[in-house]
């Protein structure tokens, strides 16, 4: 079985948690030193992200990598 993550679902989980924390896209992207456009692209699922970016987002939003990737 080949494991892979769904970029759209991953982005939705990230967006929902960011909004739950009342954090704007600009604030979140600035805190992890990426552009707002790139963060928005991640949330839309239109692009993937590096492991480093995923770790930064997980830390910022207090989410596990398993939850970000698999929803578990």
């Amino acid at each position: 079985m080949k494991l892979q993550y769904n970029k759209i679902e991953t982005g939705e989980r990230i967006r929902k948690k960011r909004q739950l924390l009342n954090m704007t896209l600009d604030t979140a992207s600035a805190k992890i030193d990426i552009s707002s456009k790139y963060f928005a692209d991640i949330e839309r699922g239109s692009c993937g992200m590096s492991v480093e970016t995923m770790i930064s987002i997980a830390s910022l939003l207090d989410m596990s990598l398993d939850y970000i990737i698999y929803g578990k």
Side-chain angles (χ1 to χ4, degrees), residues 14-67:
I14 291 169
R15 183 179 58 254
K16 285 179 185 176
K17 182 65 184 269
R18 178 184 58 76
Q19 291 173 338
L20 182 67
L21 296 172
N22 293 316
M23 192 178 304
T24 67
L25 192 60
D26 289 335
T27 300
S29 60
K31 286 184 181 236
I32 61 170
D33 199 30
I34 64 173
S35 73
S36 296
K37 182 188 178 329
Y38 181 44
F39 205 111
D41 288 345
I42 290 169
E43 288 188 347
R44 277 194 301 277
S46 62
C47 71
M49 63 188 122
S50 68
V51 172
E52 291 81 8
T53 299
M54 195 177 299
I55 290 168
S56 294
I57 290 171
S59 177
L60 174 69
L61 301 178
D62 193 29
M63 300 170 76
S64 73
L65 292 174
D66 280 348
Y67 182 72

